[in-house]
Amino acid sequence: MRIPLVAGNWKMNTTVAEAEELVCDMLDMLDRIKGVEKVLCPPFVSLVAINMMLRGSSIKLGAQNMWLETKGAYTGEISPVMLRELCEFVILGHSERRWYFGETDEMVNKKVNAALNHGLKPILCVGERLEENEAGRTEEVIGKQVTAALNGIKPTVLSVAKNLVIAYEPVWAIGTHRAASGEQAAATIKFIRDILAKLWNKDIAQDLRILYGGSVTSNNIAEFISQPEIDGALVGGASLEAEEFLSIVNQTAEIKYPHLSSPLKGEDR
Ligand code: PGA
């Protein structure tokens, strides 16, 4: 069974003090929600402070990007070796990186490889733009992005199903308050799973977690999470409010584990 995962992508928001305050506001409650892997991805400058705050809790830390070399003359960049000391996850290939900072499929592929090789778990983002969606090219674009990002990755060596997470984030749904529908997202996620089955094998495709991202809030999370194909969410704007994020994680646990009346009571899971 795939353990659901909800990650908060804070993007370029929060000073160190604000990041600490936000974590403070949700730490206890978030820690107590069982059955869902919870990941916070603050800006680089807050990773050290938040890493200390999360020690001993069930909440994991992620970075929002990294460079693909381990060290050297890459002014302004952060390497997988540096991140590995602080966090377990790293978001890679986010559409904002692709479109604002010119990240190519080839670069994303090298980053995914580097992250896995250095023991980091990539949250690989893929997604089509509005014009591509409207032209009926979603599968073509997603197929190309997924295949390119995973090119040359050996599934067995890196136990990829355990370490890699994919997030389907249609670019037109990010920060627009215009989320995809649960059905649309599930259909594309199923398509990604089919690609993984062809690329590697059926078991990996079944075991690997695929999230939805794009304008997820406490009001629409249920629509996504109730789709069996969808294993969680990558949450931007709504992860910057403690109550919103808690509600999203809590609903995820409740929907994926319906036999427990309240995930907060499921302490023994
Ligand atoms: P959003 O961002 O939830 O604000 O739409 C999601 C993301 O970019 O990961």
Side-chain angles (χ1 to χ4, degrees):
M1 190 187 156
R2 302 187 295 263
I3 296 167
L5 186 153
V6 177
N9 173 11
W10 295 3
K11 309 195 180 185
M12 198 179 72
N13 295 294
T14 68
T15 61
V16 178
E18 287 164 350
E20 286 173 333
E21 199 182 323
L22 182 53
V23 171
C24 229
D25 288 348
M26 55 182 162
L27 185 60
D28 276 359
M29 292 284 274
L30 199 56
D31 187 33
R32 287 167 56 205
I33 303 174
K34 308 291 173 191
V36 177
E37 201 159 21
K38 300 148 287 191
V39 184
L40 301 180
C41 305
F44 284 133
V45 291
S46 296
L47 286 175
V48 173
I50 305 303
N51 168 288
M52 298 218 287
M53 291 179 81
L54 298 183
R55 278 187 196 169
S57 81
S58 60
I59 306 160
K60 315 239 167 108
L61 194 58
Q64 299 174 16
N65 180 35
M66 59 164 226
W67 187 237
L68 44 94
E69 300 288 348
T70 49
K71 64 176 186 174
Y74 300 98
T75 302
E77 288 296 337
I78 307 278
S79 90
V81 178
M82 297 170 188
L83 290 180
R84 195 179 49 191
E85 280 188 347
L86 295 168
C87 45
E88 191 170 324
F89 290 86
V90 59
I91 298 172
L92 294 176
H94 190 282
S95 69
E96 285 149 19
R97 301 289 328 164
R98 291 176 191 259
W99 304 114
Y100 299 156
F101 302 100
E103 274 192 21
T104 60
D105 281 335
E106 199 191 348
M107 236 186 254
V108 175
N109 174 240
K110 287 186 177 155
K111 288 186 176 193
V112 171
N113 252 303
L116 287 168
N117 283 324
H118 290 286
L120 283 163
K121 297 177 177 171
I123 301 177
L124 165 68
C125 302
V126 294
E128 82 285 4
R129 285 180 291 173
L130 183 62
E131 58 270 32
E132 293 163 338
N133 180 279
E134 285 175 347
R137 295 181 50 221
T138 299
E139 293 196 349
E140 174 203 329
V141 172
I142 299 296
K144 187 171 162 280
Q145 286 179 358
V146 172
T147 315
L150 302 180
N151 183 31
I153 291 174
K154 303 265 181 299
T156 42
V157 179
L158 304 163
S159 56
V160 89
K162 220 173 66 201
N163 293 324
L164 176 71
V165 177
I166 297 180
Y168 168 54
E169 298 206 304
V171 180
W172 47 270
I174 295 178
T176 57
H177 305 288
R178 202 189 139 193
S181 73
E183 274 173 25
Q184 270 176 313
T188 307
I189 287 174
K190 162 90 176 48
F191 173 75
I192 295 174
R193 238 178 256 295
D194 292 344
I195 299 176
L196 300 179
K198 276 189 217 132
L199 196 66
W200 293 321
N201 62 52
K202 266 199 175 141
D203 290 343
I204 293 176
Q206 269 319 303
D207 290 350
L208 194 145
R209 289 174 294 179
I210 309 182
L211 319 176
Y212 168 76
S215 296
V216 170
T217 67
S218 61
N219 291 326
N220 63 19
I221 183 68
E223 181 178 347
F224 299 106
I225 286 304
S226 50
Q227 298 280 343
E229 281 293 345
I230 305 183
D231 302 317
L234 181 54
V235 186
S239 70
L240 292 165
E241 286 170 47
E243 262 186 44
E244 263 290 292
F245 192 65
L246 281 167
S247 171
I248 290 168
V249 178
N250 210 24
Q251 289 184 59
T252 301
E254 278 180 333
I255 292 167
K256 292 293 187 192
Y257 302 96
H259 55 286
L260 286 168
S261 55
S262 162
L264 286 172
K265 290 183 197 148
E267 302 287 345
D268 57 349
R269 217 179 306 141

